[in-house]
Every structure is written in C-alpha cells, then in structure tokens.
C-alpha cells in the first residue's frame, strides 16, 4: 500500500504549474453523451476520477481514448446505447450521477444506482430529481436505484432550494435538447458551471446566465463535437498558495484565474500574505508574520468548502484564535482529529471549529480521511517537526495530479513510499 512521507521544516521556492480543474472536466465528460459525434478535451488531469467516469461512458458503448502523453480525451458517443451502467463503477464516485441528465435528454429514460453508495439523505440527490420532475420526468426510487422516464423533456421554470453544483449541472444537461425554454433559479454560480455552459454552447447549445444565480437554457435539436480546454483548478491553486503560507515561503504559481480565486485571495491577503498577480500567474510571498482569520464556507462566490481543510492546517500554526464555520457539508471536520494528533489545538462545536494556534506541529502517522483532508495533512507535514506519514492517499490521488512531485519541485522533502 502506498503512503506519502513528508519531512517537515523546509522552505519552498520556485514555480509550479496548476492542472485543469477536475470539477470542470468531470461534468464536461458527462456532457459528451449529448453529442452524436466526437469531442476532444485538452489539458486533462490524469486522475482516478477521470478514469472512472471514462470507464462509465465505455459501459454505455462510447468510444473513449485516453491520450495520457498529450493529456487529452477523445470521446465519440455516436454509438452510445441506453444501457444501465454497472453499480460497482457508479458507486466509486458521486460524479457518476452526472450522466443522468445527458442520458435522459438523449434517450428519455435511464436507470442508475444511487451514487457513491450513499443514502439519498446524505449529500442528497433530491435536488437533481426535483429538477428532472419539473422537466416532465417520472422518477421511481427503489432497491438502491433511480428509474427515470419521460415521453418528452419539456422546458420549465425550476427553483433550487439550495444552490447545488451537481444539481445545477445535471439540470442544465437535461435541458439542452428539451422542447422550449428552461429557467433555473437559485442555481450554483461556481466557475465550473460557467465552464460547462461554455463547452455546451461551443457544441451548439443556447445557454445564458451561467455564473449567475439564474440560468436560461433554450432547447436545441442537436449538438456537434468540438475541441475544448477547461479552466484551471482553483482549488489546487489555493492549496499551493497555502503551502507557501504555511512554510513562510515565496513561490510562483502558473495557471490561475484571478476572478475565480477572489475569496481565497481575500482571506490569504487578510492574513498578511502578499499576492502579486500577472495574467495567469501569481507570486505568493508569505515570508512575513501572518495573523489568524475567521473563515465561513459558502456557495460561490463565498469561501469554498473545498479549501476549508487546507486553511485549517495553516490556521493551526498561526498565533491567536480562529473560527472556521462549515455551512456546506455537515461532516467536513474529519481532518481535525488528524491535525490534533500532530499537536494542533482544535475544538469542534457543531458546525464550527475553534483553532488556537500552536508553536509547532509534530510529525506522526495520520490518514487522508477524504480528498481535501489528505491535502491538509500534506500541508501540515510540510511545517511539522520530524516525519509525517499519510495513509489512505488514494483519496488525494482523486483530485491532485502528482502533488508530491509538484511539491518536491518546489523544494519540499516529500516522497511516495510503499508500506
């Protein structure tokens, strides 16, 4: 079994290149199902989640070529069939459920297991299903499956009870070939939503308002294949910004969109980090003394929940008291006990974590309880005394392309080891 070993105490320097956003690439892969032709997705991060979703498309009879050397996907969906994908694949990854909208749009019916093996009440898909029903889809739930069918997908006005990213994406994809106009209110405004809409519009869809809280989709008859390059990964960029901050280092990060990074930039600046932005690059200077801040995760353009764990690692070594409030997911403090094993002073009170900065963290054996928690453990290991060994790193590999190699290129003492 592979682990990551971090020997703390080294300053970082140099440059790092940010990958394309996994959270953009996955819905774009799903959206390829809407087109009876070939799409080429460029600069693709070669991650486990990408491979799993590509395999899901193959089970639907899509022709998927993963060109690792040139970092691109060539996806032909002309011969896709309305076949139920294997449960074991769908349960590997929640994003598999994003094929529901495209398959309903193209075939008018589809059957899929509940995503990720989770109950419908946990990280619920009810907003997805509610949106589908407003489009004229009949939903049947039973025995761990979702059966959906419609004589015709009809455009409608849909208001989401919560601005869910996945539900917004799924409803958009279900609507692009519908009869009439669909309006989605209180929808997610994340940059990845806008990226999906840009991809679909390039294919011939008519979508306006993506990136705002109201999106309009005018149904079209068909879509054509295109060549497309998704946006940079704002969460990976934020993670490397925190890596500079936690080690009091100065590094250059290539591959950012300043507009997408505003909430992260604002909080790091409030701490005292200097960020000089030049086009798609930023020089992060965290060599001065930093101060603690309070964080509250919110839907975009608020502070992203996917950066909460990484920021907590940083706050755990800043003198003073910080409060981190998590409003998106009810169980996203699983990294806190792991940080406490390293000497962090963290108290959990409901959806808030009170962090009192300590003079030092001490390396020990910890685990990546989830993707972003794994990144937080690596960040803590960079500044901890001694060796930090991180287990269950398959979570990390779901969202970061060779993170240990990128950090090593910046001067970190980090490597992947076998048990």
């Amino acid at each position: 079994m592979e682990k990551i070993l971090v020997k703390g105490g080294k300053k970082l320097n140099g440059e790092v290149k940010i990958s394309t956003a996994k959270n953009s690439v996955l819905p774009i892969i799903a959206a390829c199902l809407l087109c009876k032709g070939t799409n080429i997705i460029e600069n693709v991060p070669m991650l486990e989640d990408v491979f799993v979703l590509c395999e899901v498309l193959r089970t639907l009879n899509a022709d998927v070529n993963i060109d690792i050397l040139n970092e691109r996907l060539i996806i032909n969906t002309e011969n896709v069939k309305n076949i139920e994908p294997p449960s074991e694949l769908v349960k590997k990854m929640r994003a598999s459920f994003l094929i529901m909208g495209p398959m309903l749009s193209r075939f008018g019916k589809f059957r899929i297991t509940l995503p990720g093996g989770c109950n419908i009440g946990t990280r619920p898909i009810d907003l997805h299903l509610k949106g589908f029903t407003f489009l004229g889809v009949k939903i049947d739930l039973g025995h761990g499956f979702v059966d959906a069918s419609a004589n015709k997908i009809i455009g409608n006005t849909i208001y989401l009870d919560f601005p869910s990213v996945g539900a917004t994406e799924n409803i958009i994809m279900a609507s692009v070939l519908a009869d009439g106009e669909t309006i989605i209110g209180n929808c997610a405004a994340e940059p990845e939503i806008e990226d999906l809409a840009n991809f679909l519009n390039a294919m011939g869809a008519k979508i306006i308002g993506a990136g705002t809280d109201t999106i309009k989709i005018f149904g079209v008859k068909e879509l054509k294949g295109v060549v497309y390059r998704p946006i940079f990964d704002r969460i990976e960029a934020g993670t490397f910004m925190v890596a500079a901050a936690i080690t009091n280092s100065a590094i250059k990060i290539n591959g950012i969109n300043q507009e997408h990074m505003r909430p992260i930039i604002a909080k790091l600046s409030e701490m005292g980090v200097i960020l000089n932005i030049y086009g798609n690059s930023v020089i992060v200077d965290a060599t001065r003394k930093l101060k603690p801040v309070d964080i509250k995760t919110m839907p975009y353009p608020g502070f992203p929940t996917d950066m909460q764990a990484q920021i907590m690692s940083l706050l755990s070594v800043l003198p003073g008291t910080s409060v981190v409030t998590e409003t998106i997911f009810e169980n996203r403090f699983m990294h806190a006990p792991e940080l406490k094993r390293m000497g962090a002073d963290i108290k959990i009170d409901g959806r808030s974590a009170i962090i009192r900065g300590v003079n030092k963290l001490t390396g020990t054996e910890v685990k990546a309880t989830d993707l972003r928690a794994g990144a937080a453990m690596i960040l803590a290991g960079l500044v901890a005394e001694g060796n930090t060994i991180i287990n269950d790193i398959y979570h990390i590999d779901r969202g970061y392309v060779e993170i240990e190699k990128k950090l090593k290129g910046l001067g970190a003492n980090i490597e992947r080891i076998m048990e």
Side-chain angles (χ1 to χ4, degrees), residues 5-209:
L5 168 64
V6 189
K7 297 181 181 180
K10 294 200 70 175
K11 294 270 190 178
L12 305 182
N13 62 83
E15 301 184 21
V16 64
K17 179 184 176 184
I18 298 304
S19 300
T20 295
K22 178 196 80 162
N23 289 340
S24 268
V25 171
L26 295 179
I28 285 171
I29 292 172
C32 290
L33 291 166
L34 291 161
C35 164
K36 296 179 181 179
T38 299
N39 287 287
I40 299 174
I41 309 170
E42 297 185 321
N43 203 32
V44 174
M46 294 298 161
L47 298 165
E48 182 62 24
D49 278 10
V50 171
F51 299 147
V52 170
L53 192 55
C54 285
E55 191 57 34
V56 171
L57 262 64
R58 285 186 178 125
T59 67
L60 302 174
N61 210 40
D63 183 6
V64 182
N65 178 17
I66 302 174
D67 184 353
I68 293 177
L69 183 62
N70 294 301
E71 297 183 327
R72 65 178 183 172
L73 300 177
I74 304 168
I75 302 175
N76 184 296
T77 55
E78 184 175 358
N79 297 316
V80 163
K81 297 177 181 178
N82 188 15
I83 304 168
E84 179 186 321
S87 297
E88 60 271 18
L89 273 179
V90 175
K91 288 180 178 180
K92 278 187 176 182
M93 183 180 61
R94 184 174 177 79
S96 298
F97 197 70
L98 290 174
I99 68 172
M100 187 83 173
M103 292 298 284
L104 277 174
S105 185
R106 185 163 168 180
F107 294 102
K109 63 178 181 178
F110 195 58
R111 186 173 195 259
I112 189 172
T113 189
L114 290 174
C118 57
N119 296 321
I120 198 165
T122 305
R123 296 184 68 188
I125 58 167
D126 58 336
L127 295 178
H128 301 239
L129 303 183
K130 177 181 177 182
F132 293 155
T133 59
F134 273 88
L135 298 173
V137 178
K138 180 183 177 183
I139 302 290
D140 287 318
L141 290 172
H143 306 291
F145 286 87
V146 179
D147 279 289
S149 61
N151 292 329
K152 186 178 289 187
I153 306 294
I154 305 294
N156 201 348
T157 298
I158 302 163
Y159 183 87
L160 295 179
D161 297 328
F162 178 82
S164 160
V165 173
T168 301
E169 292 168 341
N170 235 340
I171 295 167
I172 289 172
M173 292 187 284
S175 303
V176 291
L177 300 177
D179 281 358
E181 175 185 320
T182 300
I183 300 174
I184 313 172
N186 194 37
C187 59
E190 273 75 359
E192 294 80 14
I193 301 286
E194 188 173 2
D195 204 24
L196 172 63
N198 288 340
F199 172 67
L200 289 167
N201 284 339
M203 294 168 70
K206 294 182 180 178
I207 303 167
I208 61 173

Side-chain angles (χ1 to χ4, degrees), residues 193-269:
I193 301 286
E194 188 173 2
D195 204 24
L196 172 63
N198 288 340
F199 172 67
L200 289 167
N201 284 339
M203 294 168 70
K206 294 182 180 178
I207 303 167
I208 61 173
T212 74
D213 64 358
T214 304
I215 297 175
K216 293 183 179 180
I217 305 108
F218 303 91
V220 298
K221 294 296 183 184
E222 62 180 6
L223 301 178
K224 65 180 187 301
V226 295
V227 178
Y228 193 80
R229 179 178 292 239
I231 60 175
F232 297 117
D233 191 329
R234 61 195 170 102
I235 304 303
E236 184 188 19
T239 300
F240 277 94
M241 289 179 178
V242 174
I246 202 169
T247 57
N248 294 119
S249 303
I251 65 171
K252 184 179 182 183
I253 300 173
N254 299 313
I256 72 155
N257 182 309
Q258 181 179 358
E259 188 62 36
H260 300 167
M261 302 290 298
R262 285 195 184 281
I264 301 170
I265 289 170
K267 280 300 174 182
L268 289 174
S269 298

